[in-house]
């Protein structure tokens, strides 16, 4: 026993002595790595704060007969940003820019809003007008600034959620194609999944607000290999299963043929990567003045997204919500219970206001959705939506005749 103690003690002593001897070499390396990380973060933060963004609201016409496929084509044009080369990323803080597709209800009045980098505003408007020529687009202010929750938290009731996918990202959610909206059906035959969300948003009253933001950023090509590997494993689990078959006096292993349903799943998985992929973060909030808050309505921040869930494919679930009572808070670190939940409320609200998801201060792991999935969860409804609080233009925007005398 004494020998074992001697060996352990000598090993610890030799390790500490070796670390001391190596300090002149290891310390400069450690400090250099830390300095490089801080320098990169400083440049990134500076550029994040200096990048101008603008908010535009889309007003819909009374007659809207386009299917979500038109929104998919418009979103294809958003796939424009670049992170630059290694020099610009490290020394200048260059980063991929992102858009925030937002659907909000202010006391029951529904608005479609997009937060876009100022440099891409013309691009966004051009792509929207190309598919929806009768809409009206106007610049608006940030509606979150009208809520002084961070300054006066006692006046407000807040609930927020962030979503994730239950299965690997290569599995798609239920899209508008599954709802048979890809062929512009007649209005009376449409089953638009957006209707549930719009009815939820339009059901609130004075002093209440629903906010939904869908932040999208072009998927890095170098990260595509990971998604392809997930896809390959998922398909292999469907079409390459082994089965034992009796043969004479023995048994042999053979590949079991997939069922028709499994073949359909495999085809759907392959189709997901056939369209542009975005990194996506979804955050939803219910905010109301204390005297106007209706407790059960806070669950409307997540429930409408269940319509996109598919048992065979993928489903949305809650990654974190402000009622998540855990010793480690929303952002990290331990706090006593009486401080923990209010801190999570403040952080969720601040993360929403900053539209922070892909970078500091509220960096998250995004999910990957393609443009077909995005167009399903954020598109303009047709006349089938009778939600009275969904603002529409009363008449089509008229164009002057081309042969008017000058």
């Amino acid at each position: 026993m004494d020998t074992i103690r001697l060996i352990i003690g000598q090993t610890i002593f030799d390790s500490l002595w070796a670390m001391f001897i190596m300090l002149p070499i290891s310390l400069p390396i450690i400090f250099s790595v830390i300095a490089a990380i801080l320098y990169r973060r400083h440049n990134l933060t500076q550029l994040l704060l200096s990048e101008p963004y603008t908010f535009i609201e889309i007003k819909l016409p009374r007659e809207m007969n386009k299917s979500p496929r038109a929104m998919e084509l418009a979103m294809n044009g958003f796939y424009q940003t670049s992170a630059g080369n290694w020099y610009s990323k490290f020394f200048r803080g260059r980063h991929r820019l992102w858009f925030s597709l937002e659907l909000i209800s202010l006391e029951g009045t529904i608005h479609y809003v997009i937060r876009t980098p100022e440099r891409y505003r013309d691009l966004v408007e051009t792509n929207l007008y190309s598919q929806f020529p009768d809409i009206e687009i106007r610049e608006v202010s940030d509606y979150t600034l009208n809520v002084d929750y961070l300054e006066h938290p006692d006046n407000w009731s807040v609930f927020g959620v962030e979503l994730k996918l239950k299965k690997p990202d290569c599995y798609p959610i239920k899209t508008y194609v599954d709802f048979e909206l890809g062929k512009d059906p007649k209005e009376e035959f449409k089953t638009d999944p957006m209707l549930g969300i719009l009815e939820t948003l339009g059901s609130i009253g004075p002093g209440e607000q629903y906010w939904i933001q869908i932040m999208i950023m072009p998927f890095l090509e170098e990260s595509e290999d990971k998604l392809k590997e997930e896809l390959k494993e998922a398909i292999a689990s469907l079409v390459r299963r082994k089965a034992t078959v009796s043969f004479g006096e023995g048994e042999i292993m053979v590949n079991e043929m997939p069922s028709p349903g499994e073949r359909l799943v495999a085809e759907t998985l392959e189709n997901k990567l056939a369209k542009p992929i975005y990194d996506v973060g979804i955050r939803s909030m219910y905010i109301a003045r204390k005297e106007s808050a209706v407790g059960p309505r806070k669950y409307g921040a997540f429930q409408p997204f269940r319509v996109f869930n598919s048992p065979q494919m993928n489903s949305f679930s809650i990654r974190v919500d402000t009622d998540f009572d855990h010793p480690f808070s929303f952002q990290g670190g331990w706090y006593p219970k009486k401080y923990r939940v209010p801190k999570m409320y403040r952080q969720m609200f601040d993360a929403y206001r900053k539209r922070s998801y892909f970078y500091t201060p509220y960096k998250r792991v995004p999910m990957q959705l393609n443009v077909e999935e995005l167009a399903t969860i954020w598109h303009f409804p047709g006349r089938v939506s009778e939600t009275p609080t969904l603002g529409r233009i009363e008449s089509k925007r008229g164009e002057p005749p081309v042969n008017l005398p000058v």
Side-chain angles (χ1 to χ4, degrees), residues 16 62 69 74 81 91 113 167 194 199 203 207 214 246 271 318 344 361 363 378 381 383:
L16 294 175
R62 180 66 60 182
R69 190 179 299 277
T81 57
F91 290 99
V113 177
K167 294 182 181 180
M194 285 291 297
E199 289 298 327
S203 65
I214 303 169
S246 299
N271 290 337
I318 296 177
M344 293 175 67
K363 187 175 181 180
W378 198 89
R383 285 187 294 109

Side-chain angles (χ1 to χ4, degrees), residues 265-324:
V265 171
E267 291 175 3
T268 306
L269 290 173
E270 291 179 334
N271 290 337
K272 175 162 182 173
L273 267 65
K275 296 184 177 183
I277 303 289
Y278 282 90
D279 283 333
V280 179
I282 301 178
R283 189 180 286 124
S284 180
M285 298 195 71
Y286 170 75
I287 298 175
R289 293 196 172 274
K290 286 285 188 180
E291 63 274 12
S292 304
V294 179
R297 281 187 178 160
K298 68 180 183 179
Y299 300 109
F302 169 70
Q303 295 297 335
F305 286 94
R306 293 184 182 275
V307 71
F308 306 112
N309 294 353
S310 172
Q312 294 79 20
M313 298 298 177
N314 220 331
S315 303
F316 286 119
S317 63
I318 296 177
R319 191 191 73 82
V320 67
D321 65 69
T322 50
D323 286 353
F324 183 63

Side-chain angles (χ1 to χ4, degrees), residues 16-17 19 34 46 52 94 98-99 128 170 184 200 203 218 232 244 263 327 334 336 358 362 365-366 371 383 390:
L16 294 175
W17 179 249
M19 292 172 61
I34 294 175
Q46 272 197 326
R94 181 76 179 271
W98 69 97
F99 304 89
L128 289 174
C170 63
D184 290 316
T200 299
S203 65
K232 189 183 299 183
T244 303
R263 286 197 297 269
W334 184 88
F358 307 111
Y362 301 102
V365 178
V371 290
R383 285 187 294 109
L390 176 60

Side-chain angles (χ1 to χ4, degrees), residues 63-89:
E63 301 288 334
M64 175 68 74
N65 298 317
K66 294 291 188 75
S67 78
R69 190 179 299 277
M71 181 58 73
E72 178 184 335
L73 295 175
M75 288 182 179
N76 278 328
F78 296 2
Y79 205 93
Q80 299 289 333
T81 57
S82 169
N85 55 35
W86 67 270
Y87 177 84
S88 62
K89 285 191 289 185

Side-chain angles (χ1 to χ4, degrees), residues 17-32:
W17 179 249
M19 292 172 61
F20 178 77
I21 294 296
M22 293 297 293
L23 281 180
I25 299 175
S26 60
L27 281 181
I29 295 175
I30 294 172
F31 286 136
S32 297

Side-chain angles (χ1 to χ4, degrees), residues 119-146:
R119 68 176 78 176
Y120 292 120
R121 176 179 174 176
D122 290 342
L123 172 71
V124 171
E125 293 186 0
T126 299
N127 280 278
L128 289 174
Y129 277 132
S130 67
Q131 300 299 324
F132 309 98
D134 296 323
I135 62 174
E136 286 186 4
I137 298 177
R138 62 190 181 97
E139 184 174 349
V140 294
S141 60
D142 184 359
Y143 55 90
T144 66
L145 300 178
N146 298 325

Side-chain angles (χ1 to χ4, degrees), residues 97-213:
L97 302 180
W98 69 97
F99 304 89
S100 182
L101 312 176
E102 303 183 0
L103 186 59
I104 62 172
S105 175
L106 306 180
E107 299 184 337
T109 303
I110 301 172
H111 304 267
Y112 278 86
V113 177
I114 297 179
R115 179 184 184 258
T116 172
E118 183 65 43
R119 68 176 78 176
Y120 292 120
R121 176 179 174 176
D122 290 342
L123 172 71
V124 171
E125 293 186 0
T126 299
N127 280 278
L128 289 174
Y129 277 132
S130 67
Q131 300 299 324
F132 309 98
D134 296 323
I135 62 174
E136 286 186 4
I137 298 177
R138 62 190 181 97
E139 184 174 349
V140 294
S141 60
D142 184 359
Y143 55 90
T144 66
L145 300 178
N146 298 325
V147 177
D148 58 351
Y149 171 72
L150 296 179
E151 294 78 15
H152 304 285
D154 295 335
N155 297 338
W156 298 90
S157 177
V158 173
F159 177 80
V161 297
E162 291 181 1
L163 306 187
K164 66 176 182 178
L165 293 174
K166 284 186 177 180
K167 294 182 181 180
D169 293 332
C170 63
Y171 285 87
I173 59 172
K174 189 183 294 185
T175 70
Y176 68 84
V177 176
D178 301 308
F179 290 99
E180 300 181 350
L181 293 176
K183 298 179 180 180
D184 290 316
K186 293 182 179 180
E187 289 294 322
E188 57 267 27
F189 299 120
K190 281 186 177 180
T191 54
D192 195 329
M194 285 291 297
L195 299 186
I197 297 179
L198 295 176
E199 289 298 327
T200 299
L201 297 184
S203 65
I204 60 177
E208 298 177 285
Q209 300 183 25
Y210 271 129
W211 299 348
I212 297 174
Q213 61 180 193

Side-chain angles (χ1 to χ4, degrees), residues 196-252:
I197 297 179
L198 295 176
E199 289 298 327
T200 299
L201 297 184
S203 65
I204 60 177
E208 298 177 285
Q209 300 183 25
Y210 271 129
W211 299 348
I212 297 174
Q213 61 180 193
I214 303 169
M215 292 154 288
I216 63 173
M217 184 169 65
F219 187 53
L220 280 177
E221 293 183 1
E222 51 263 37
S223 302
E224 194 171 341
D225 291 338
K226 177 178 178 294
L227 198 60
K228 287 182 177 179
E229 190 62 32
E230 289 181 356
L231 174 66
K232 189 183 299 183
E233 292 177 2
I235 294 178
S237 66
L238 293 171
V239 301
R240 296 179 185 174
R241 294 178 304 174
K242 297 292 185 180
T244 303
V245 178
S246 299
F247 184 76
E249 297 181 355
E251 295 180 341
I252 60 173

